[in-house]
Amino acid sequence: YRDSLVAAHAVRELVLALRSAAESVARTVASTPQVEVAWTYPGSSRPGLRTTGGVALEIVDASTRSLLIVGYSVTVDEAMSGLAAQTVDAIARAAERDVVVTVVLHRKANYRALLSFWRPGVPNPSAFTWPASDDEMAKVHAKLLISDRNDALVTSANLTYHGFERNIEIGLRVTGRPAAEVHDRIHELIAAGDLEPWRD
């Protein structure tokens, strides 16, 4: 681009070189994964740090095609007093606007908690779990929230009141290709039958 600018014989050539450079920068920025810290802490924190609940709500509310939720524990209080309950409600609202919701959860109690805010007439999410094994300690322990295969929250926080408001938890919000890779890996486990549909 520097050579083009120096060698430009006319304003039109100069404008074309500048536009090409701007387009190249825009494409590079758009294809570069963005990373943001999200955390839970019950005390005060320095300005600029996002909360786990705030980031989770933003991701769910922005979803237009798909949501993938993977978790060890989901709990909801009837008063909807916490960010976790609000996030569960936001997931139900996403399903209501035809976002395809897929969940991979550790226990049936978690699935029931997720469905506690589901709207009548809205299809239930596709639900999967990891079959019980001989090892009682083996669990679905990942905590993921991925929207549209492009925007992911990978966190230590469970989708619970304490996970979103009272514990010390750390997570990363990642956009772009890494989010797609995590999404695809979970769906590969579903396709291979390693994660099985819920059976009542």
Side-chain angles (χ1 to χ4, degrees), residues 32-40 46-60 62 145 150-156 169-176 178-179:
T32 302
Q34 303 297 307
V35 179
E36 178 182 21
V37 174
W39 86 324
T40 302
R46 69 173 175 80
L49 281 180
R50 304 283 310 281
T51 65
T52 302
V55 170
L57 277 170
E58 192 173 282
I59 290 173
V60 173
L145 177 60
N150 183 63
D151 194 356
L153 175 61
V154 181
T155 177
S156 64
E169 308 279 2
I170 293 288
L172 294 177
R173 180 182 190 173
V174 183
T175 63

Side-chain angles (χ1 to χ4, degrees), residues 73-145:
S73 181
V74 178
T75 58
V76 176
D77 61 295
E78 290 184 12
M80 278 187 59
S81 60
L83 288 168
Q86 292 172 30
T87 301
V88 170
D89 185 53
I91 293 167
R93 283 187 276 111
E96 194 171 34
R97 62 176 188 269
D98 296 325
V99 173
V100 176
V101 179
T102 304
V103 298
V104 178
L105 300 170
H106 177 59
R107 296 190 306 257
K108 288 187 178 180
N110 298 325
Y111 188 45
R112 288 193 293 272
L114 191 69
L115 292 180
S116 60
F117 290 115
W118 226 249
R119 273 65 167 169
V122 177
N124 286 349
S126 298
F128 299 86
T129 193
W130 196 22
S133 71
D134 295 337
D135 185 350
E136 293 181 6
M137 298 301 291
K139 296 172 173 51
V140 175
H141 205 253
K143 294 97 178 177
L144 308 170
L145 177 60

Side-chain angles (χ1 to χ4, degrees), residues 151-169:
D151 194 356
L153 175 61
V154 181
T155 177
S156 64
N158 287 305
L159 187 47
T160 64
Y161 170 75
H162 280 83
F164 274 33
E165 298 192 48
R166 301 302 297 172
N167 296 344
I168 295 176
E169 308 279 2

